[in-house]
């Protein structure tokens, strides 16, 4: 439970409102407990000598007390529950901020469903603690103390007798809501399975249809769905016990009141008004009794949720600025150097790069070729620090990239990743994603022209306002790649990295783009990864990766003369082209 104290900083931010809330609880409770007392007096008065005026006066007093108490009850929600929503907002915002700082690796190893569950269920559970639980525990305790004090002052024996069953109620509520919560968690888990399944089905609909797996998917869905129903039934079975138990226990208290209290009235130890007041007080205590059990649960759940959230908070931000970061670095020039760089994805995983040395002078173009899976993408990911090297250093302008502020580094690298990702937004917003001025039409046109996207876009009715994704159109593979290229060009980067960025573009369009890019790349450092020799042949330097090391290096002609891997790839591709032409 110590963990819950970590929330104190959130409470402190809302101190004023919270204190006001507690004050309102006090006022509301005090006015409320007076009602049975007035009622008692009015019944006793009735018993003695009925007087119309007196009765009306009592009625007015009771009404006034009820109004005041009700008004402050309303105000309690306006303060404490509002605070809890504010704290929830702060919590979620802190969670999100932390999450986006976590490294690429974290998201590769954690499922989206898990993160979503934390963001929704766990934060909601904590809110239940900071809001309702805090409110009800204060309210309940105060009300209990006042009511019991008054009851004891009227008659101690009767009080003790009729309150006897109440702790049992608290205990049952505690046990039942614990069970219900467990069932509820199971239901939610199943529901998240179903959601994930539905999502995958929709995004994979083409595969499902082409492999004629509709019936299979429907059957799988039915299985999941009926499990969901079963878990709901389990919960209902327990929930159904709640009301009968409540009636049984409160009923017992009332019977005890009539039996024991009635006896006392017969013996003139109590008045009829006292019985009425006790009945009323008993009613007032039912809810606090339930709340005790309920709140105890909320606290436990919040604690468990906080533990899970804490685990994410404790997740180290792997790639971050350090003490050595030189904040005076505001821009970079673009000379890149790999010094004995080795890299692996995990301690148990094999080395992807071993002792790689490369120099890429500012403004030059380096091409990387090599068979699939040799580590080309891994190598360029090290430059923008999506991952850090396992040993060795990457330098830019002679400075270790770990010294360069991350935002300076990344803002200067235009990266066209191998797998295109576009947001469900307009084309324009996608292309200008990394740019401050989201309305720069001139820039938009320029980069779209270089990427040869203009022709395609002129066919769309909404031009650059065409919405992509789920609520919009789907671009072709090549269009997607060129949009991604335009996005990288738009940030006016010092370093441009193209990771197999033309794989879905035909060779003719690719050639045109490369000609356009020549001008753009004139004084920028570029790295082009490709499987096609035609894409890389003009580069200033070409390296061939194999088995994690640089197997060959040089210009196109030099590499051909070597007669190695590059030569092989080149001639196979020439042969393919010829075969295609003949075919
Ligand atoms: N996130 C990752 N975790 C673990 N291993 C990875 C990860 N990403 C890549 N690998 C492994 O690292 C090796 C190099 O992958 P990489 O993506 O760098 O190859 P590549 O040369 O870009 O291949 P391709 O030409 O197919 O794009 C592969 O064996 C791959 O399975
Ligand atoms: Mg790759």
């Amino acid at each position: 439970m110590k963990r819950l104290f970590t929330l104190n900083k959130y409470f402190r931010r809302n101190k004023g409102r919270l204190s006001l809330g507690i004050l309102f609880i006090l006022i509301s409770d005090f006015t409320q407990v007076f009602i049975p007392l007035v009622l008692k007096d009015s019944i006793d008065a009735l018993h003695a000598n009925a007087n119309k005026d007196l009765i009306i006066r009592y009625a007015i007093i009771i009404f006034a007390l009820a109004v005041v108490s009700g008004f402050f009850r309303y105000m309690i929600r306006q303060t404490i529950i509002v605070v809890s929503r504010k704290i929830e907002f702060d919590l979620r915002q802190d969670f999100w901020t932390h999450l986006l700082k976590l490294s690429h690796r974290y998201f590769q190893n954690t499922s989206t469903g898990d993160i979503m569950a934390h963001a929704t269920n766990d934060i909601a559970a904590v809110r239940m603690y900071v809001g309702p639980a805090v409110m009800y525990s204060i309210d309940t305790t105060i009300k209990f103390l006042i009511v019991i004090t008054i009851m004891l002052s009227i008659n101690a024996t009767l009080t003790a007798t009729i309150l006897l069953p109440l702790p049992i109620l608290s205990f049952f509520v505690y046990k039942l809501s614990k069970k219900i919560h467990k069932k509820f968690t199971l239901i939610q888990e199943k529901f998240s399975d179903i959601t994930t399944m539905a999502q995958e089905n929709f995004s994979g609909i083409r595969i499902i249809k082409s492999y004629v797996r509709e019936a299979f998917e429907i059957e799988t869905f039915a299985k999941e769905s009926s499990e969901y129903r079963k878990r709901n039934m389990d919960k209902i079975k327990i929930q159904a016990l709640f009301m009968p138990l409540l009636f049984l226990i409160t009923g017992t208290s009332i019977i005890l009141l009539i039996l024991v209290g009635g006896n006392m009235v017969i013996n003139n130890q109590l008045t009829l008004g006292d019985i009425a007041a006790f009945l009323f007080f008993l009613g007032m205590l039912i809810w606090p009794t339930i709340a005790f059990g309920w709140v105890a649960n909320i606290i436990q759940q919040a604690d468990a949720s906080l533990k899970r959230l804490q685990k994410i908070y404790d997740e180290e931000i792997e790639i971050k600025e350090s003490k050595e970061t030189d904040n005076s670095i505001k821009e970079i020039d673009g000379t890149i150097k790999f010094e004995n760089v080795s890299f692996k994805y995990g301690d148990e995983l094999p080395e992807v790069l071993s002792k790689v040395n490369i120099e890429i002078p500012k403004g030059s173009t380096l091409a990387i070729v090599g068979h699939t899976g040799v580590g080309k993408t891994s190598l360029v990911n090290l430059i923008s620090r999506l991952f850090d090297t396992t040993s060795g250093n990457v330098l830019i302008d002679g400075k270790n990239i770990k010294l360069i502020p991350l935002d300076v580094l990344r803002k200067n690298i235009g990266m066209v990743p191998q797998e295109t990702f576009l947001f469900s937004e307009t084309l324009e917003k996608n292309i200008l994603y990394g740019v401050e001025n989201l309305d720069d039409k001139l820039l938009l046109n320029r980069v779209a022209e270089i990427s040869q996207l203009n022709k395609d876009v002129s066919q769309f009715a909404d031009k650059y306002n065409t919405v992509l994704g789920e609520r919009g159109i789907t671009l072709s593979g090549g269009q997607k790649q060129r949009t991604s290229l335009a996005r990288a060009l738009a940030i006016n980067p010092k370093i441009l990295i193209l990771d197999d960025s033309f794989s879905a573009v035909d060779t003719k369009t690719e050639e045109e783009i490369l000609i356009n890019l020549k001008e753009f790349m004139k004084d920028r450092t570029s790295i082009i990864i490709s499987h096609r020799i035609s894409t890389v042949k003009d580069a200033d330097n070409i390296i061939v990766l194999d088995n994690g090391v640089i197997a060959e290096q040089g210009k196109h002609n030099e590499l051909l003369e070597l007669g190695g891997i590059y030569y092989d790839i080149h001639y196979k591709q020439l042969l393919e082209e010829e075969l295609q032409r003949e075919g």
Side-chain angles (χ1 to χ4, degrees), residues 104-105 108-109 345-346 349-350 352 370-379 387 418 499-500 529 531 545:
H104 191 51
R105 192 193 301 274
Q108 286 193 323
N109 298 337
Y345 280 99
L349 296 171
V352 178
H371 296 297
T372 171
V374 292
K376 302 183 292 296
T377 301
S378 311
L379 188 144
F387 292 93
Q418 191 164 18
D499 188 353
D500 211 5
I529 298 176
H531 286 285
L545 273 188

Side-chain angles (χ1 to χ4, degrees), residues 191-209:
F191 191 72
S192 124
D193 286 352
I194 293 179
T195 322
T196 311
M197 189 183 161
Q199 257 170 13
E200 260 192 10
N201 266 231
F202 298 147
S203 51
I205 191 77
R206 283 201 302 194
I207 305 291
I208 296 175
K209 290 206 178 293

Side-chain angles (χ1 to χ4, degrees), residues 63 110 117 148 168 236 280 292 325 352 374 420 429 466 488 493 577:
F63 180 73
T110 319
I148 290 185
I168 306 174
I236 289 166
F280 217 104
F292 268 132
T325 308
V352 178
V374 292
T420 310
K429 287 210 172 113
T466 308
E577 261 176 47

Side-chain angles (χ1 to χ4, degrees), residues 118-149:
H118 293 309
T120 48
N121 303 346
D122 286 337
I123 290 181
V126 175
R127 184 198 80 87
M128 283 304 279
Y129 165 73
V130 297
V134 166
M135 176 173 84
Y136 287 126
S137 33
I138 299 173
D139 182 30
T140 308
T141 315
I142 293 176
K143 202 178 280 173
F144 237 98
L145 288 178
I146 307 174
V147 171
I148 290 185
T149 314

Side-chain angles (χ1 to χ4, degrees), residues 283-388:
M284 276 169 74
L285 288 183
I286 300 295
W287 167 241
T289 312
I290 295 173
F292 268 132
W294 188 58
V295 164
N297 255 302
I298 294 182
I299 292 177
Q300 279 190 348
Q301 286 158 20
D303 190 57
S305 287
L306 213 53
K307 188 168 149 195
R308 285 190 288 268
L309 290 174
Q310 202 71 51
K311 227 181 101 207
I312 299 183
Y313 281 125
D314 291 345
E315 188 76 38
E316 206 201 335
I317 298 176
E318 193 187 335
I319 293 183
K320 60 177 176 204
E321 326 236 313
S322 65
K323 279 200 281 302
E324 290 94 54
T325 308
D326 183 354
N327 284 312
S328 66
I329 304 177
K330 298 277 184 253
E331 48 191 57
I332 62 177
D333 250 357
T335 307
I336 306 172
K337 191 169 177 192
F338 277 64
E339 261 179 4
N340 274 327
V341 170
S342 298
F343 177 69
K344 49 181 163 186
Y345 280 99
D347 291 337
E348 299 86 40
L349 296 171
E351 209 162 54
V352 178
L353 299 170
S354 56
K355 296 224 159 67
V356 171
N357 286 290
I358 314 172
E359 271 193 61
I360 317 169
K362 170 189 162 189
S364 71
T365 301
L366 171 81
I368 308 176
V369 294
H371 296 297
T372 171
V374 292
K376 302 183 292 296
T377 301
S378 311
L379 188 144
V380 293
N381 280 346
L382 297 176
I383 302 174
S384 52
R385 290 190 71 199
L386 283 180
F387 292 93
D388 275 339

Side-chain angles (χ1 to χ4, degrees), residues 11 72 104 188 190 192 269 297 329 343 355 374 384 401 409 445 472 513 581:
F11 284 125
F72 281 100
H104 191 51
Q188 290 229 308
K190 203 27 61 188
S192 124
Q269 286 163 296
N297 255 302
I329 304 177
F343 177 69
K355 296 224 159 67
V374 292
S384 52
I401 51 171
L409 177 74
N445 276 314
I513 299 176
R581 230 174 281 141

Side-chain angles (χ1 to χ4, degrees), residues 456-472:
D456 301 66
V457 174
S458 61
Q459 313 274 327
F460 300 151
D462 292 330
K463 308 287 184 245
Y464 285 101
N465 287 323
T466 308
V467 177
L468 311 181
E470 285 183 354
R471 261 172 280 146

